Amino acid sequence: MDNDKYLKGTTTVGVVCTDGIVLASEQRATMGHFIASKTAKKVYQIDDLVGMTTAGSVGDAQQLVRLVSVESQLYKMRRNESMTIKGIATLMSNFLNANRYYPMMVQLLIGGVDKNGPAIYSLDPMGGSIEETRISATGSGSPMAYGVLEDQYREDIAVKEGLDLAIRAIHNATKRDSASGENIDVVVITKEAFKRLDPEEVKSRRALLN
């Protein structure tokens, strides 16, 4: 991925676990040095067991969420089965690449659980797509988040520990990156369910980090 991802004011992380994945983001939205929102949504559900995090232009991100959500539902209606995570990432990659001369200013993480197991893909504005087999982070706070993720990730990590790792990574990024802050939105996806953690649970887990 190119260094452009560091210029997008946000922090999102993805953690691949043995029994699912974790996607997380802080909720500050900025316009230059102005904090435009403290409750911005950056983690979206795009299929039953698939989520997507967004960094970059809010309008571009929301358009892409609508596009991929509709396409995944149409695929399910036609084939009577869900599109794979790789398939959704490829669809999004093709769309971004087709618009490379007027690029969508976004950095995306697409992840979930399908018949092949847990998976996360990272996509850049030009449509570049990489399967992340362990951890990934996007946005201006990603260098700080990676410091935590690289230090504490284990190959045998389960979602119970993975969500705490994701919270810790975002929490540390907000301490050093002025474009990242406020609350933390956390989604856990297993083969059973797509679950968005209650804000109070996230707050209590975060409080233990101080």
Side-chain angles (χ1 to χ4, degrees):
M1 295 299 152
D2 58 41
N3 290 330
D4 186 58
K5 70 180 179 180
Y6 299 133
L7 303 179
K8 296 175 173 59
T10 198
T11 307
T12 78
V13 304
V15 181
V16 180
C17 307
T18 57
D19 52 344
I21 69 155
V22 179
L23 299 174
S25 171
E26 43 69 49
Q27 294 190 286
R28 175 177 291 179
T30 58
M31 296 176 63
H33 297 291
F34 176 69
I35 300 175
S37 174
K38 297 181 179 181
T39 57
K41 185 176 182 180
K42 303 176 187 179
V43 185
Y44 296 86
Q45 183 174 11
I46 57 177
D47 205 343
D48 292 341
L49 299 177
V50 186
M52 182 168 79
T53 73
T54 62
S57 167
V58 175
D60 287 349
Q62 291 177 342
Q63 180 181 350
L64 292 171
V65 168
R66 290 191 291 268
L67 170 74
V68 73
S69 296
V70 169
E71 290 295 336
S72 63
Q73 292 302 315
L74 287 173
Y75 181 95
K76 189 183 298 182
M77 290 171 60
R78 292 166 180 162
R79 303 290 187 91
N80 201 30
E81 66 175 353
S82 296
M83 193 181 300
T84 63
I85 312 303
K86 182 179 181 179
I88 292 175
T90 300
L91 171 69
M92 185 66 75
S93 174
N94 290 341
F95 182 82
L96 290 169
N97 186 259
N99 289 273
R100 64 189 180 279
Y101 296 114
Y102 298 95
M104 298 283 197
M105 299 311 297
V106 293
Q107 177 78 16
L108 309 173
L109 293 178
I110 295 176
V113 179
D114 59 22
K115 60 186 179 182
N116 300 311
I120 292 178
Y121 287 81
S122 177
L123 288 85
D124 66 29
M126 299 297 106
S129 176
I130 295 177
E131 182 176 8
E132 307 288 357
T133 59
R134 301 169 68 249
I135 53 174
S136 187
T138 70
S140 55
S142 58
M144 285 71 76
Y146 267 122
V148 175
L149 294 170
E150 291 283 2
D151 181 60
Q152 299 185 19
Y153 181 83
R154 303 190 325 273
E155 297 293 340
D156 63 345
I157 196 168
V159 292
K160 185 176 181 180
E161 298 170 282
L163 67 90
D164 283 327
L165 175 57
I167 292 171
R168 183 181 296 275
I170 298 288
H171 177 76
N172 278 267
T174 61
K175 288 184 175 182
R176 294 291 182 179
D177 177 42
S178 62
S180 303
E182 319 314 333
N183 299 320
I184 299 175
D185 189 16
V186 183
V187 163
V188 174
I189 307 175
T190 65
K191 64 181 180 180
E192 286 82 24
F194 179 108
K195 178 184 178 183
R196 191 178 301 272
L197 267 65
D198 183 89
E200 290 303 316
E201 180 180 353
V202 176
K203 189 179 296 185
S204 64
R205 288 177 179 272
R206 190 178 185 183
L208 298 176
L209 304 178
N210 294 319

